[in-house]
Amino acid sequence: MEIETYKDIFKSKNGRIYLEQLPHLEKIRSGQSFLYRKNGNESMIMELSMHDLVDADLLEKALLRSLSRYPYLTSKFIQVDGDFYLSANFLPMKVVETLRLRPLGGLETNYHLVDITFYEKKIYVAYHHALCDGRGIMPFVRKLIYYYCLKKYQPPIDIDDLSLASENMSIGELQEPFVSEEKATDTLPVFKHDAFRLPELTTDKHLYKSTRYELNIDQDSFVGWARSKHATPSITVALLMSKVIENVHPNEKEIICNLARDDRAGSSCQNTFRNCVGSIELAYSRHPD
């Protein structure tokens, strides 16, 4: 069917499947720590650079058509007994011309957790990590650009990509990738400790202060040293940062680094749009070997 309005999304085949499955979807298990902060939610941003000025009308039409393929990205969150669940959001998602990134999950975005804005030759796709991860949002982003360019440029662009040709949503795209907490507690270790906490995180003094320092490291020597310790580059960075913290703040407590990890490869839900990024706690050892 032709998608002309936001409400048409839920009348399409994919939209009906989404609404039918919605009551059976499990609660959000990843990314909750980012939810409902002051003035909205922190978000991930994708910046897309175009060769020409962005056409607002065509982008709006491309958005509606893309959402009809990925209707679950219209979801909002509701809270039940302290847990968050996906819920249908029948308030429209609107394209806006602005340089300001709007807070997600609030009135300004009609409680949506995905927001499309543009300015001159750039398109911005903001999305909340508790809704989906980078691999979950990318099919939508590619579809959005595909439909936009299809209308913008004549003759139509020729893209040989089977994933773009698919218009039918599968149930697997909606699946929760993580096991229930009851099963998880039987198999996963629980990290309990009284670790060292940076002073700037314990007071409001440095709450709004942000600093940035760039350091160039020789790649060959860095990777070589990491391999000699049987460590990945990210674990090596964590080890070096922990050593720095110990030097600046000598203490007897453990220094813990939280590393992001992509659990999608270990999940049976390879096609899910849901967030598969978790966190692993790494305790700093004063003996690198």
Side-chain angles (χ1 to χ4, degrees), residues 18 22 25-37 40-42 72-80 82-90 104-106 109-114 127-133 176 273-275:
Y18 160 69
L22 198 55
L25 298 180
E26 294 186 77
K27 65 183 180 182
I28 302 299
R29 301 182 185 277
S30 179
Q32 286 198 42
S33 60
F34 297 99
L35 283 176
Y36 299 108
R37 296 188 176 183
N41 301 329
E42 291 188 352
Y72 40 75
L73 293 177
T74 66
S75 300
K76 64 179 178 180
F77 287 150
I78 58 172
Q79 188 173 2
V80 180
D83 293 313
F84 293 94
Y85 295 82
L86 290 176
S87 177
N89 187 351
F90 297 110
L104 300 178
T109 57
N110 274 342
Y111 306 102
H112 283 287
L113 296 165
V114 174
Y127 66 97
H128 196 272
H129 222 258
L131 178 69
C132 61
D133 57 17
E176 162 60 45
F273 85 100
R274 307 278 285 273
N275 183 17

Side-chain angles (χ1 to χ4, degrees), residues 230-286:
H230 308 289
T232 65
S234 59
I235 290 178
T236 303
V237 170
L239 181 120
L240 294 175
M241 288 299 296
S242 299
K243 181 64 177 175
V244 170
I245 292 172
E246 186 197 24
N247 288 341
V248 175
H249 302 287
N251 68 92
E252 297 299 324
K253 293 184 177 181
E254 282 188 305
I255 297 172
I256 306 297
C257 176
N258 288 287
L259 294 175
R261 70 173 191 271
D262 187 351
D263 293 332
R264 189 178 291 266
S267 169
S268 59
C269 311
Q270 292 298 300
N271 296 325
T272 183
F273 85 100
R274 307 278 285 273
N275 183 17
C276 295
V277 177
S279 177
I280 185 171
E281 294 176 307
L282 177 67
Y284 166 64
S285 169
R286 288 157 177 81

Side-chain angles (χ1 to χ4, degrees), residues 26-86:
E26 294 186 77
K27 65 183 180 182
I28 302 299
R29 301 182 185 277
S30 179
Q32 286 198 42
S33 60
F34 297 99
L35 283 176
Y36 299 108
R37 296 188 176 183
K38 185 178 180 181
N39 298 324
N41 301 329
E42 291 188 352
S43 57
M44 310 295 287
I45 310 295
M46 289 192 179
E47 180 183 298
L48 312 171
S49 297
M50 311 301 290
H51 288 293
D52 304 309
L53 292 175
V54 176
D55 186 309
D57 183 56
L58 295 183
L59 184 59
E60 182 85 35
K61 292 178 179 178
L63 172 62
L64 292 176
R65 191 168 177 184
S66 301
L67 289 175
S68 70
R69 170 58 184 85
Y70 305 100
Y72 40 75
L73 293 177
T74 66
S75 300
K76 64 179 178 180
F77 287 150
I78 58 172
Q79 188 173 2
V80 180
D81 297 329
D83 293 313
F84 293 94
Y85 295 82
L86 290 176

